[in-house]
Amino acid sequence: HVPIHRYEDLEHYMLRVRQGDSSALLADGRLHMFALTSGTTASRKFIPVTRRYLKDYRRGTNVWARGIFEKYPQAFLKSILQLVSDWDEFRTESDVPCGSISGLTAHMQRKSVRKYYSLSAITGKVKDATSRLYLALRMGLISTELGILGSANPSTFIKMAQMLDSCSEDLIRDLRDGTLSDSQKIPDDVRAALQHDLKKLPARARQLEMIRSKAGKLLPMDAWKIHTIACWTGGSVGLYLKQFPHYFGNTPIRDLGLLASEGRFTIPLEEGTSAGVLDISSHYYEFIPEGEIDSSQPVALGAHELTLGGSYYLVPTTAAGLYRYHISDLVRVTGFV
């Protein structure tokens, strides 16, 4: 009885939620934030992040991470360099933060977990893209070993690798002196918050200087022992992945899965593929065959009704107010578990 929805169909309800009337769309009245879509093709969408949303998101991420640590136990309890964005870019009319879910999960980490992450949530406040990458390198180079190097787009890692070499002199100086280069556009409150972690590391600086002097350059695979890289591997990003061996050697790459502001939908279990198992513990899923999507009454199938090799539009129903939601992602069935 419920029709297929696009965001535009729910937008008037979402506006009421943003204004403080959470009951317009949600049973759970407590909102942590609104996750914002990138807005590259249209105006940004506001996705409510409830307690249930966050619990589901974390569980899926933990299952994904456990898959890595079971295959690469040497990566467990090592530093994680995970780039984060701002979870509190601005506030709604009802004073609810709006921003990136990655920043919120970093902000809400337990202390016992936070100590393994090179970047804290406040680093998402750095808006300048070049300065953000420099800061990631500055904080990440404190460690000699990375269990996971993570960011959604692999192009980020190519830019980071190039900056590591081009800015190696400044980075080594910062490590030696316990500073953060004044040439970078980093807000004063971020600098102040990171001051405690900016200790002088002359031994680490000498190590990197020796590597650079011997090789004539400084590459990520020489600066760190990296156990795994986490990023998207499907679609057009393969062009960037072809450059990875030059910078990262043969480091294993695990796809992040089908992941959006609306939630996590798949969990990849192995390298060499962007395919992943459906995250059935978080959402209810329906699938519309590719040729049916424009029908007034499209066929909607459950996961158990899909055909190997078939292409379908994914239609999740989530606990955060998205009902039979057409996210416009076309998926192909590559196998069953």
Side-chain angles (χ1 to χ4, degrees), residues 66-94:
R66 178 170 176 163
I68 288 181
F69 296 139
E70 286 185 341
K71 185 170 183 179
Y72 304 104
Q74 65 273 23
F76 189 54
L77 300 183
K78 300 298 191 302
S79 294
I80 297 173
L81 181 52
Q82 172 73 52
L83 275 69
V84 299
S85 298
D86 192 4
W87 70 281
D88 194 0
E89 291 183 33
F90 58 90
R91 298 287 178 112
T92 65
E93 302 91 324
S94 56

PDB file of all heavy atoms in Angstrom, residues 66-94:
ATOM      1  N   ARG A  66      35.727  -6.214  11.249  1.00  0.00           N
ATOM      2  CA  ARG A  66      36.105  -7.521  11.793  1.00  0.00           C
ATOM      3  C   ARG A  66      36.577  -8.448  10.681  1.00  0.00           C
ATOM      4  O   ARG A  66      37.501  -9.245  10.868  1.00  0.00           O
ATOM      5  CB  ARG A  66      34.926  -8.143  12.531  1.00  0.00           C
ATOM      6  CG  ARG A  66      35.231  -9.528  13.073  1.00  0.00           C
ATOM      7  CD  ARG A  66      34.173 -10.042  14.007  1.00  0.00           C
ATOM      8  NE  ARG A  66      34.470 -11.415  14.417  1.00  0.00           N
ATOM      9  CZ  ARG A  66      33.917 -12.016  15.452  1.00  0.00           C
ATOM     10  NH1 ARG A  66      33.041 -11.362  16.195  1.00  0.00           N
ATOM     11  NH2 ARG A  66      34.231 -13.243  15.754  1.00  0.00           N
ATOM     12  N   GLY A  67      35.937  -8.325   9.500  1.00  0.00           N
ATOM     13  CA  GLY A  67      36.380  -9.127   8.360  1.00  0.00           C
ATOM     14  C   GLY A  67      37.833  -8.861   8.010  1.00  0.00           C
ATOM     15  O   GLY A  67      38.585  -9.779   7.652  1.00  0.00           O
ATOM     16  N   ILE A  68      38.252  -7.599   8.107  1.00  0.00           N
ATOM     17  CA  ILE A  68      39.647  -7.252   7.837  1.00  0.00           C
ATOM     18  C   ILE A  68      40.561  -7.824   8.914  1.00  0.00           C
ATOM     19  O   ILE A  68      41.585  -8.451   8.623  1.00  0.00           O
ATOM     20  CB  ILE A  68      39.813  -5.719   7.758  1.00  0.00           C
ATOM     21  CG1 ILE A  68      39.193  -5.186   6.463  1.00  0.00           C
ATOM     22  CG2 ILE A  68      41.293  -5.320   7.840  1.00  0.00           C
ATOM     23  CD1 ILE A  68      39.329  -3.698   6.280  1.00  0.00           C
ATOM     24  N   PHE A  69      40.191  -7.637  10.179  1.00  0.00           N
ATOM     25  CA  PHE A  69      41.069  -8.061  11.266  1.00  0.00           C
ATOM     26  C   PHE A  69      41.174  -9.579  11.367  1.00  0.00           C
ATOM     27  O   PHE A  69      42.188 -10.103  11.835  1.00  0.00           O
ATOM     28  CB  PHE A  69      40.597  -7.459  12.585  1.00  0.00           C
ATOM     29  CG  PHE A  69      40.682  -5.960  12.629  1.00  0.00           C
ATOM     30  CD1 PHE A  69      39.675  -5.205  13.211  1.00  0.00           C
ATOM     31  CD2 PHE A  69      41.768  -5.294  12.080  1.00  0.00           C
ATOM     32  CE1 PHE A  69      39.748  -3.829  13.247  1.00  0.00           C
ATOM     33  CE2 PHE A  69      41.854  -3.909  12.117  1.00  0.00           C
ATOM     34  CZ  PHE A  69      40.844  -3.170  12.697  1.00  0.00           C
ATOM     35  N   GLU A  70      40.132 -10.292  10.938  1.00  0.00           N
ATOM     36  CA  GLU A  70      40.225 -11.754  10.948  1.00  0.00           C
ATOM     37  C   GLU A  70      41.183 -12.244   9.859  1.00  0.00           C
ATOM     38  O   GLU A  70      41.899 -13.218  10.050  1.00  0.00           O
ATOM     39  CB  GLU A  70      38.839 -12.370  10.758  1.00  0.00           C
ATOM     40  CG  GLU A  70      37.964 -12.266  12.003  1.00  0.00           C
ATOM     41  CD  GLU A  70      36.642 -12.992  11.853  1.00  0.00           C
ATOM     42  OE1 GLU A  70      36.233 -13.274  10.704  1.00  0.00           O
ATOM     43  OE2 GLU A  70      35.996 -13.261  12.880  1.00  0.00           O
ATOM     44  N   LYS A  71      41.192 -11.552   8.719  1.00  0.00           N
ATOM     45  CA  LYS A  71      42.091 -11.958   7.631  1.00  0.00           C
ATOM     46  C   LYS A  71      43.496 -11.426   7.851  1.00  0.00           C
ATOM     47  O   LYS A  71      44.489 -12.069   7.484  1.00  0.00           O
ATOM     48  CB  LYS A  71      41.549 -11.475   6.293  1.00  0.00           C
ATOM     49  CG  LYS A  71      42.367 -11.978   5.108  1.00  0.00           C
ATOM     50  CD  LYS A  71      41.693 -11.704   3.784  1.00  0.00           C
ATOM     51  CE  LYS A  71      42.499 -12.283   2.637  1.00  0.00           C
ATOM     52  NZ  LYS A  71      41.840 -12.046   1.319  1.00  0.00           N
ATOM     53  N   TYR A  72      43.594 -10.232   8.450  1.00  0.00           N
ATOM     54  CA  TYR A  72      44.894  -9.602   8.684  1.00  0.00           C
ATOM     55  C   TYR A  72      45.028  -9.264  10.171  1.00  0.00           C
ATOM     56  O   TYR A  72      44.948  -8.101  10.573  1.00  0.00           O
ATOM     57  CB  TYR A  72      45.037  -8.333   7.843  1.00  0.00           C
ATOM     58  CG  TYR A  72      44.836  -8.555   6.371  1.00  0.00           C
ATOM     59  CD1 TYR A  72      43.648  -8.176   5.752  1.00  0.00           C
ATOM     60  CD2 TYR A  72      45.825  -9.161   5.591  1.00  0.00           C
ATOM     61  CE1 TYR A  72      43.449  -8.392   4.396  1.00  0.00           C
ATOM     62  CE2 TYR A  72      45.639  -9.379   4.240  1.00  0.00           C
ATOM     63  CZ  TYR A  72      44.444  -8.994   3.648  1.00  0.00           C
ATOM     64  OH  TYR A  72      44.246  -9.215   2.305  1.00  0.00           O
ATOM     65  N   PRO A  73      45.228 -10.282  11.007  1.00  0.00           N
ATOM     66  CA  PRO A  73      45.275 -10.042  12.454  1.00  0.00           C
ATOM     67  C   PRO A  73      46.392  -9.079  12.860  1.00  0.00           C
ATOM     68  O   PRO A  73      46.298  -8.423  13.906  1.00  0.00           O
ATOM     69  CB  PRO A  73      45.507 -11.440  13.041  1.00  0.00           C
ATOM     70  CG  PRO A  73      46.028 -12.267  11.904  1.00  0.00           C
ATOM     71  CD  PRO A  73      45.408 -11.713  10.683  1.00  0.00           C
ATOM     72  N   GLN A  74      47.435  -8.966  12.027  1.00  0.00           N
ATOM     73  CA  GLN A  74      48.524  -8.047  12.348  1.00  0.00           C
ATOM     74  C   GLN A  74      48.080  -6.584  12.272  1.00  0.00           C
ATOM     75  O   GLN A  74      48.767  -5.690  12.795  1.00  0.00           O
ATOM     76  CB  GLN A  74      49.715  -8.285  11.410  1.00  0.00           C
ATOM     77  CG  GLN A  74      49.462  -7.970   9.947  1.00  0.00           C
ATOM     78  CD  GLN A  74      48.856  -9.132   9.172  1.00  0.00           C
ATOM     79  OE1 GLN A  74      48.235 -10.020   9.759  1.00  0.00           O
ATOM     80  NE2 GLN A  74      49.056  -9.125   7.854  1.00  0.00           N
ATOM     81  N   ALA A  75      46.927  -6.324  11.633  1.00  0.00           N
ATOM     82  CA  ALA A  75      46.405  -4.947  11.538  1.00  0.00           C
ATOM     83  C   ALA A  75      45.636  -4.536  12.790  1.00  0.00           C
ATOM     84  O   ALA A  75      45.394  -3.344  13.007  1.00  0.00           O
ATOM     85  CB  ALA A  75      45.490  -4.823  10.316  1.00  0.00           C
ATOM     86  N   PHE A  76      45.257  -5.511  13.606  1.00  0.00           N
ATOM     87  CA  PHE A  76      44.440  -5.239  14.788  1.00  0.00           C
ATOM     88  C   PHE A  76      45.244  -4.457  15.821  1.00  0.00           C
ATOM     89  O   PHE A  76      46.426  -4.711  16.054  1.00  0.00           O
ATOM     90  CB  PHE A  76      43.940  -6.555  15.377  1.00  0.00           C
ATOM     91  CG  PHE A  76      42.915  -6.393  16.461  1.00  0.00           C
ATOM     92  CD1 PHE A  76      41.777  -5.647  16.255  1.00  0.00           C
ATOM     93  CD2 PHE A  76      43.102  -6.989  17.695  1.00  0.00           C
ATOM     94  CE1 PHE A  76      40.827  -5.494  17.253  1.00  0.00           C
ATOM     95  CE2 PHE A  76      42.157  -6.847  18.703  1.00  0.00           C
ATOM     96  CZ  PHE A  76      41.022  -6.097  18.477  1.00  0.00           C
ATOM     97  N   LEU A  77      44.587  -3.468  16.445  1.00  0.00           N
ATOM     98  CA  LEU A  77      45.183  -2.613  17.473  1.00  0.00           C
ATOM     99  C   LEU A  77      46.360  -1.792  16.961  1.00  0.00           C
ATOM    100  O   LEU A  77      47.228  -1.377  17.740  1.00  0.00           O
ATOM    101  CB  LEU A  77      45.621  -3.445  18.697  1.00  0.00           C
ATOM    102  CG  LEU A  77      44.496  -4.217  19.412  1.00  0.00           C
ATOM    103  CD1 LEU A  77      45.052  -4.937  20.628  1.00  0.00           C
ATOM    104  CD2 LEU A  77      43.360  -3.297  19.808  1.00  0.00           C
ATOM    105  N   LYS A  78      46.377  -1.553  15.648  1.00  0.00           N
ATOM    106  CA  LYS A  78      47.346  -0.630  15.057  1.00  0.00           C
ATOM    107  C   LYS A  78      46.636   0.688  14.750  1.00  0.00           C
ATOM    108  O   LYS A  78      45.409   0.764  14.711  1.00  0.00           O
ATOM    109  CB  LYS A  78      47.946  -1.218  13.782  1.00  0.00           C
ATOM    110  CG  LYS A  78      48.686  -2.519  13.973  1.00  0.00           C
ATOM    111  CD  LYS A  78      49.881  -2.369  14.886  1.00  0.00           C
ATOM    112  CE  LYS A  78      50.785  -3.601  14.879  1.00  0.00           C
ATOM    113  NZ  LYS A  78      50.102  -4.839  15.276  1.00  0.00           N
ATOM    114  N   SER A  79      47.389   1.722  14.503  1.00  0.00           N
ATOM    115  CA  SER A  79      46.813   3.036  14.205  1.00  0.00           C
ATOM    116  C   SER A  79      45.937   2.990  12.954  1.00  0.00           C
ATOM    117  O   SER A  79      46.229   2.253  12.006  1.00  0.00           O
ATOM    118  CB  SER A  79      47.927   4.067  14.011  1.00  0.00           C
ATOM    119  OG  SER A  79      48.628   4.282  15.205  1.00  0.00           O
ATOM    120  N   ILE A  80      44.878   3.782  12.977  1.00  0.00           N
ATOM    121  CA  ILE A  80      43.959   3.883  11.847  1.00  0.00           C
ATOM    122  C   ILE A  80      43.957   5.337  11.374  1.00  0.00           C
ATOM    123  O   ILE A  80      43.659   6.247  12.146  1.00  0.00           O
ATOM    124  CB  ILE A  80      42.540   3.456  12.243  1.00  0.00           C
ATOM    125  CG1 ILE A  80      42.535   1.980  12.666  1.00  0.00           C
ATOM    126  CG2 ILE A  80      41.558   3.690  11.096  1.00  0.00           C
ATOM    127  CD1 ILE A  80      41.204   1.513  13.228  1.00  0.00           C
ATOM    128  N   LEU A  81      44.312   5.530  10.118  1.00  0.00           N
ATOM    129  CA  LEU A  81      44.273   6.873   9.533  1.00  0.00           C
ATOM    130  C   LEU A  81      43.025   6.944   8.658  1.00  0.00           C
ATOM    131  O   LEU A  81      43.028   6.518   7.515  1.00  0.00           O
ATOM    132  CB  LEU A  81      45.532   7.147   8.719  1.00  0.00           C
ATOM    133  CG  LEU A  81      45.643   8.536   8.062  1.00  0.00           C
ATOM    134  CD1 LEU A  81      45.402   9.641   9.077  1.00  0.00           C
ATOM    135  CD2 LEU A  81      46.985   8.711   7.377  1.00  0.00           C
ATOM    136  N   GLN A  82      41.951   7.435   9.245  1.00  0.00           N
ATOM    137  CA  GLN A  82      40.642   7.511   8.592  1.00  0.00           C
ATOM    138  C   GLN A  82      40.254   8.976   8.456  1.00  0.00           C
ATOM    139  O   GLN A  82      40.069   9.671   9.461  1.00  0.00           O
ATOM    140  CB  GLN A  82      39.593   6.764   9.418  1.00  0.00           C
ATOM    141  CG  GLN A  82      38.166   6.927   8.934  1.00  0.00           C
ATOM    142  CD  GLN A  82      37.907   6.160   7.657  1.00  0.00           C
ATOM    143  OE1 GLN A  82      38.184   4.967   7.566  1.00  0.00           O
ATOM    144  NE2 GLN A  82      37.374   6.852   6.661  1.00  0.00           N
ATOM    145  N   LEU A  83      40.144   9.456   7.218  1.00  0.00           N
ATOM    146  CA  LEU A  83      39.768  10.856   7.014  1.00  0.00           C
ATOM    147  C   LEU A  83      38.315  11.070   7.404  1.00  0.00           C
ATOM    148  O   LEU A  83      37.452  10.237   7.104  1.00  0.00           O
ATOM    149  CB  LEU A  83      39.998  11.270   5.560  1.00  0.00           C
ATOM    150  CG  LEU A  83      41.429  11.735   5.231  1.00  0.00           C
ATOM    151  CD1 LEU A  83      42.412  10.584   5.299  1.00  0.00           C
ATOM    152  CD2 LEU A  83      41.481  12.395   3.866  1.00  0.00           C
ATOM    153  N   VAL A  84      38.044  12.185   8.075  1.00  0.00           N
ATOM    154  CA  VAL A  84      36.687  12.494   8.521  1.00  0.00           C
ATOM    155  C   VAL A  84      36.289  13.887   8.044  1.00  0.00           C
ATOM    156  O   VAL A  84      37.143  14.729   7.779  1.00  0.00           O
ATOM    157  CB  VAL A  84      36.548  12.416  10.057  1.00  0.00           C
ATOM    158  CG1 VAL A  84      36.863  11.027  10.566  1.00  0.00           C
ATOM    159  CG2 VAL A  84      37.456  13.453  10.732  1.00  0.00           C
ATOM    160  N   SER A  85      34.982  14.102   7.918  1.00  0.00           N
ATOM    161  CA  SER A  85      34.445  15.408   7.550  1.00  0.00           C
ATOM    162  C   SER A  85      33.659  15.974   8.724  1.00  0.00           C
ATOM    163  O   SER A  85      33.387  15.275   9.704  1.00  0.00           O
ATOM    164  CB  SER A  85      33.561  15.288   6.310  1.00  0.00           C
ATOM    165  OG  SER A  85      34.311  14.823   5.203  1.00  0.00           O
ATOM    166  N   ASP A  86      33.258  17.206   8.609  1.00  0.00           N
ATOM    167  CA  ASP A  86      32.607  17.917   9.702  1.00  0.00           C
ATOM    168  C   ASP A  86      31.183  17.398   9.928  1.00  0.00           C
ATOM    169  O   ASP A  86      30.386  17.323   8.995  1.00  0.00           O
ATOM    170  CB  ASP A  86      32.563  19.408   9.374  1.00  0.00           C
ATOM    171  CG  ASP A  86      32.162  20.263  10.559  1.00  0.00           C
ATOM    172  OD1 ASP A  86      31.981  19.716  11.661  1.00  0.00           O
ATOM    173  OD2 ASP A  86      32.034  21.484  10.376  1.00  0.00           O
ATOM    174  N   TRP A  87      30.861  17.039  11.160  1.00  0.00           N
ATOM    175  CA  TRP A  87      29.511  16.560  11.478  1.00  0.00           C
ATOM    176  C   TRP A  87      28.599  17.702  11.937  1.00  0.00           C
ATOM    177  O   TRP A  87      27.395  17.516  12.095  1.00  0.00           O
ATOM    178  CB  TRP A  87      29.561  15.482  12.568  1.00  0.00           C
ATOM    179  CG  TRP A  87      29.937  15.978  13.921  1.00  0.00           C
ATOM    180  CD1 TRP A  87      31.199  16.260  14.366  1.00  0.00           C
ATOM    181  CD2 TRP A  87      29.068  16.271  15.016  1.00  0.00           C
ATOM    182  NE1 TRP A  87      31.155  16.702  15.665  1.00  0.00           N
ATOM    183  CE2 TRP A  87      29.859  16.723  16.088  1.00  0.00           C
ATOM    184  CE3 TRP A  87      27.678  16.191  15.193  1.00  0.00           C
ATOM    185  CZ2 TRP A  87      29.321  17.087  17.322  1.00  0.00           C
ATOM    186  CZ3 TRP A  87      27.144  16.561  16.424  1.00  0.00           C
ATOM    187  CH2 TRP A  87      27.958  16.997  17.470  1.00  0.00           C
ATOM    188  N   ASP A  88      29.165  18.886  12.112  1.00  0.00           N
ATOM    189  CA  ASP A  88      28.401  20.030  12.615  1.00  0.00           C
ATOM    190  C   ASP A  88      28.714  21.259  11.761  1.00  0.00           C
ATOM    191  O   ASP A  88      29.210  22.270  12.248  1.00  0.00           O
ATOM    192  CB  ASP A  88      28.752  20.275  14.084  1.00  0.00           C
ATOM    193  CG  ASP A  88      27.773  21.210  14.789  1.00  0.00           C
ATOM    194  OD1 ASP A  88      26.815  21.672  14.136  1.00  0.00           O
ATOM    195  OD2 ASP A  88      27.968  21.480  15.985  1.00  0.00           O
ATOM    196  N   GLU A  89      28.401  21.167  10.460  1.00  0.00           N
ATOM    197  CA  GLU A  89      28.658  22.282   9.541  1.00  0.00           C
ATOM    198  C   GLU A  89      27.765  23.475   9.873  1.00  0.00           C
ATOM    199  O   GLU A  89      28.189  24.625   9.823  1.00  0.00           O
ATOM    200  CB  GLU A  89      28.387  21.853   8.098  1.00  0.00           C
ATOM    201  CG  GLU A  89      29.368  20.847   7.523  1.00  0.00           C
ATOM    202  CD  GLU A  89      29.054  20.535   6.078  1.00  0.00           C
ATOM    203  OE1 GLU A  89      28.575  21.441   5.356  1.00  0.00           O
ATOM    204  OE2 GLU A  89      29.270  19.384   5.661  1.00  0.00           O
ATOM    205  N   PHE A  90      26.508  23.181  10.174  1.00  0.00           N
ATOM    206  CA  PHE A  90      25.549  24.217  10.553  1.00  0.00           C
ATOM    207  C   PHE A  90      24.417  23.553  11.307  1.00  0.00           C
ATOM    208  O   PHE A  90      24.381  22.320  11.433  1.00  0.00           O
ATOM    209  CB  PHE A  90      25.030  24.975   9.313  1.00  0.00           C
ATOM    210  CG  PHE A  90      24.357  24.093   8.288  1.00  0.00           C
ATOM    211  CD1 PHE A  90      22.995  23.837   8.343  1.00  0.00           C
ATOM    212  CD2 PHE A  90      25.094  23.535   7.247  1.00  0.00           C
ATOM    213  CE1 PHE A  90      22.379  23.030   7.401  1.00  0.00           C
ATOM    214  CE2 PHE A  90      24.481  22.720   6.297  1.00  0.00           C
ATOM    215  CZ  PHE A  90      23.125  22.482   6.376  1.00  0.00           C
ATOM    216  N   ARG A  91      23.479  24.338  11.815  1.00  0.00           N
ATOM    217  CA  ARG A  91      22.371  23.809  12.607  1.00  0.00           C
ATOM    218  C   ARG A  91      21.038  24.103  11.912  1.00  0.00           C
ATOM    219  O   ARG A  91      20.891  25.099  11.202  1.00  0.00           O
ATOM    220  CB  ARG A  91      22.365  24.447  13.999  1.00  0.00           C
ATOM    221  CG  ARG A  91      23.622  24.177  14.837  1.00  0.00           C
ATOM    222  CD  ARG A  91      23.659  22.746  15.344  1.00  0.00           C
ATOM    223  NE  ARG A  91      24.852  22.418  16.097  1.00  0.00           N
ATOM    224  CZ  ARG A  91      24.862  22.156  17.410  1.00  0.00           C
ATOM    225  NH1 ARG A  91      23.730  22.227  18.110  1.00  0.00           N
ATOM    226  NH2 ARG A  91      25.983  21.818  18.016  1.00  0.00           N
ATOM    227  N   THR A  92      20.062  23.222  12.137  1.00  0.00           N
ATOM    228  CA  THR A  92      18.718  23.433  11.621  1.00  0.00           C
ATOM    229  C   THR A  92      17.989  24.469  12.477  1.00  0.00           C
ATOM    230  O   THR A  92      18.515  24.954  13.482  1.00  0.00           O
ATOM    231  CB  THR A  92      17.906  22.144  11.654  1.00  0.00           C
ATOM    232  OG1 THR A  92      17.710  21.744  13.023  1.00  0.00           O
ATOM    233  CG2 THR A  92      18.606  21.019  10.905  1.00  0.00           C
ATOM    234  N   GLU A  93      16.753  24.750  12.079  1.00  0.00           N
ATOM    235  CA  GLU A  93      15.924  25.681  12.839  1.00  0.00           C
ATOM    236  C   GLU A  93      15.735  25.218  14.277  1.00  0.00           C
ATOM    237  O   GLU A  93      15.553  26.028  15.192  1.00  0.00           O
ATOM    238  CB  GLU A  93      14.560  25.843  12.168  1.00  0.00           C
ATOM    239  CG  GLU A  93      14.617  26.327  10.729  1.00  0.00           C
ATOM    240  CD  GLU A  93      14.683  25.195   9.720  1.00  0.00           C
ATOM    241  OE1 GLU A  93      15.330  24.152  10.007  1.00  0.00           O
ATOM    242  OE2 GLU A  93      14.100  25.330   8.645  1.00  0.00           O
ATOM    243  N   SER A  94      15.770  23.902  14.496  1.00  0.00           N
ATOM    244  CA  SER A  94      15.588  23.345  15.838  1.00  0.00           C
ATOM    245  C   SER A  94      16.915  22.993  16.510  1.00  0.00           C
ATOM    246  O   SER A  94      16.955  22.228  17.471  1.00  0.00           O
ATOM    247  CB  SER A  94      14.688  22.113  15.782  1.00  0.00           C
ATOM    248  OG  SER A  94      15.212  21.144  14.891  1.00  0.00           O
TER     249      SER A  94
END
